[in-house]
Amino acid sequence: GALVSMAGRLMRRWCPSLLQDLHFPVVQLHMSRTAMRASEKDFENAVNQLKLLKKDPGNEVKLKLYALYKQATEGPCNTPKPGMLDFINKTKWDAWSALGSLPKETARQNYVDLVSSLSPSSESSSQIKPAAADEKLPESENVVVTSEGGITKIMLNRPTKRNAITTSMYKEIIHALKVASTDNSTITVITGSGDYYSSGNDLTNFTAVPPGEIEESAKNAGILLRDFVNSFIDFPKPLIAVVNGPAVGIVVTILGLFDVVYASDRATFHTPFSELGQSPEGCSSYTFPKIMGPTKAAEMLLFGKKLTAREACAQGLVTEVFPESTFQKEVWTRLKAYAKLPPNSLRISKELIRSTEKEKLHAINAEECTVLQGRWLSEECMSAILNFISRKSKL
Ligand SMILES: CCCCC/C=C/CC(=O)SCCNC(=O)CCNC(=O)[C@H](O)C(C)(C)COP(=O)(O)OP(=O)(O)OC[C@H]1O[C@@H](n2cnc3c(N)ncnc32)[C@H](O)[C@@H]1OP(=O)(O)O
């Protein structure tokens, strides 16, 4: 078995032409009409979009597309395994079979995401599109990006609103990560300005919606959130959070996708989803139980238990806690030294550490966003947000 799989890998590496039948038109021919439901328009668009790609995405990606396509249209692989010498079909079968029981809808979503990541500038079915690295976004004061000494720093800079993240800030962060992933920096850091790291999602994101557009707006917010979290899942360089103060909601949940988290002893970590009538996002429904065990994760994600920095460190969410008085000096001295390490080695090591989880994280992210979309339309969520806006409750 190992020998055959090694042979398959070698074939992929040295004989790419043998995999030509993983090619897009084949994928399209197999499209089943009965599979058309809900977001299937997006899926169909993605299949068509793929045909317009100018650049060959490479066999690894085509194999992934093939597997997702089969899973999305036919469900889990239950065809007989091709013989050991039928390398091409066996490679395809392996890729499909590796998706296990991934739900059809998730496979469809992942397929659409993958296609859209291959052609950021082409037509997408999403109303809110992820920003491409070469897309010029307006200058922003709320997300300040600087790059120096091998470190790209993305600073949330809205201190009067406790660095709450607006819709345009989500897009700016996606854009900043995309640029940072290919700039000449070695590591990327996210931090906050002022006393707060961030108070999470700006709750007014949900309030300026014209009547009759609530469902559409929830759908768009779900797409934006999915793109936002995907840009953390896929970020290729070491990603470090410098948590300078209290952190709430989405900025806490995505910490499970960072490589290192440094916190001031003034920082706290709070995910008040139940109080807000919402549900976990940022892949925390998977990463938190994995990092801290299911019961500690439940206290945070279900009951909104706020952790001190030291508690978060004891539970593995935070790497190290520093006294507030020396936090900035100690952390930046350390990060400057890390940024001198060989960048390719760091990138390759991160890939080794993270790659086995990526597919799973994308599926979890898609599922969490679908669930949240429903929560945003719930009465529980709407009244919690109205309470905050009208200052009846402060968390
Ligand atoms: C695309 C959509 C994706 C959605 C992804 C979903 C994510 C889920 C989450 O992130 S859930 C978490 C949401 N965040 C909160 O619930 C925090 C709400 N804020 C507070 O509880 C408090 O403001 C505080 C504890 C963070 C800080 O309290 P403090 O007393 O120090 O300060 P103020 O309350 O007076 O706040 C100062 C001003 O900042 C505004 N503000 C703070 N946080 C938010 C926020 N999250 N959204 C919008 N606005 C926020 C606050 O309204 C004050 O503004 P004002 O001076 O104009 O009154």
Side-chain angles (χ1 to χ4, degrees):
L3 196 67
V4 173
S5 111
M6 195 167 86
R9 277 205 300 277
L10 284 174
M11 293 286 281
R12 281 208 295 279
R13 194 153 167 208
W14 301 114
C15 309
S17 58
L18 284 176
L19 289 180
Q20 264 165 5
D21 70 330
L22 296 175
H23 206 218
F24 333 129
V26 173
V27 167
Q28 204 218 1
L29 273 178
H30 289 159
M31 188 164 174
S32 144
R33 286 185 188 281
T34 53
M36 302 285 231
R37 280 197 326 251
S39 69
E40 300 202 355
K41 187 92 196 101
D42 291 349
F43 182 62
E44 195 185 348
N45 286 344
V47 172
N48 289 328
Q49 203 175 313
L50 198 57
K51 288 190 293 177
L52 303 174
L53 268 193
K54 294 204 173 82
K55 203 173 144 213
D56 187 323
N59 287 327
E60 292 296 335
V61 172
K62 283 194 267 185
L63 198 55
K64 209 178 245 182
L65 286 165
Y66 167 82
L68 287 170
Y69 180 86
K70 295 292 273 183
Q71 190 86 2
T73 55
E74 295 177 32
C77 174
N78 56 9
T79 59
K81 188 172 183 167
M84 59 191 288
L85 293 178
D86 186 0
F87 289 126
I88 294 172
N89 285 320
K90 189 180 167 298
T91 305
K92 289 160 75 177
W93 188 94
D94 284 343
W96 181 13
S97 172
L99 295 181
S101 57
L102 187 75
K104 275 185 170 184
E105 298 224 326
T106 312
R108 204 162 46 214
Q109 190 58 65
N110 292 355
Y111 181 94
V112 171
D113 287 345
L114 184 52
V115 173
S116 112
S117 75
L118 296 173
S119 52
S121 57
S122 56
E123 191 79 4
S124 157
S125 53
S126 308
Q127 296 249 343
I128 299 175
K129 299 189 181 96
D134 52 1
E135 191 181 310
K136 201 102 179 101
L137 287 180
E139 288 286 308
S140 161
E141 290 173 359
N142 293 337
V143 176
V144 176
V145 184
T146 48
S147 204
E148 201 190 335
I151 305 176
T152 291
K153 179 167 88 171
I154 301 172
M155 186 162 72
L156 307 174
N157 185 39
R158 208 178 163 226
T160 56
K161 299 283 182 185
R162 309 296 184 254
N163 298 327
I165 305 179
T166 60
T167 300
S168 60
M169 286 168 75
Y170 284 107
K171 293 181 200 167
E172 287 162 34
I173 296 166
I174 293 171
H175 181 70
L177 286 174
K178 202 151 201 169
V179 173
S181 68
T182 55
D183 68 10
N184 58 8
S185 66
T186 303
I187 62 175
T188 296
V189 174
I190 298 195
T191 192
S193 77
D195 290 341
Y196 260 71
Y197 179 62
S198 168
S199 61
N201 185 45
D202 188 308
L203 293 170
T204 64
N205 283 340
F206 295 121
T207 54
V209 181
E213 289 179 24
I214 294 178
E215 291 205 359
E216 186 62 14
S217 153
K219 183 178 171 219
N220 288 340
I223 293 167
L224 178 59
L225 178 61
R226 206 190 60 225
D227 291 344
F228 177 75
V229 175
N230 277 344
S231 60
F232 285 84
I233 296 172
D234 293 329
F235 193 71
K237 299 177 182 177
L239 185 61
I240 292 118
V242 171
V243 186
N244 53 300
V248 189
I250 177 87
V251 297
V252 177
T253 55
I254 53 169
L255 290 177
L257 303 173
F258 281 68
D259 301 300
V260 167
V261 179
Y262 292 139
S264 153
D265 60 6
R266 230 175 31 78
T268 52
F269 298 82
H270 188 198
T271 50
F273 302 128
S274 301
E275 276 178 75
L276 291 168
Q278 299 189 28
S279 51
E281 80 291 283
C283 295
S284 59
S285 61
Y286 175 70
T287 58
F288 277 29
K290 198 170 173 215
I291 290 169
M292 56 184 83
T295 61
K296 295 287 185 192
E299 261 199 314
M300 279 193 88
L301 297 176
L302 299 184
F303 302 123
K305 183 179 181 200
K306 190 193 284 185
L307 301 189
T308 63
R310 298 215 182 279
E311 286 168 337
C313 189
Q315 287 173 22
L317 187 62
V318 164
T319 313
E320 192 170 335
V321 181
F322 299 80
E324 170 66 10
S325 55
T326 55
F327 177 60
Q328 297 290 346
K329 188 162 178 276
E330 284 195 63
V331 164
W332 289 104
T333 303
R334 192 178 297 187
L335 292 176
K336 279 175 195 162
Y338 289 169
K340 293 199 170 75
L341 291 166
N344 290 336
S345 168
L346 289 173
R347 188 192 275 262
I348 288 165
S349 299
K350 172 164 178 170
E351 175 71 12
L352 275 176
I353 296 167
R354 297 269 171 183
S355 63
T356 49
E357 292 278 53
K358 262 193 194 171
E359 195 75 51
K360 190 167 200 164
L361 291 170
H362 281 296
I364 287 156
N365 181 28
E367 178 64 12
E368 285 179 346
C369 292
T370 305
V371 172
L372 248 182
Q373 214 172 295
R375 294 311 304 155
W376 290 329
L377 299 172
S378 72
E379 215 177 298
E380 286 179 345
C381 179
M382 288 185 193
S383 76
I385 289 170
L386 286 177
N387 275 345
F388 174 75
I389 306 298
S390 63
R391 299 295 189 273
K392 279 186 207 138
S393 79
K394 280 277 168 72
L395 294 162

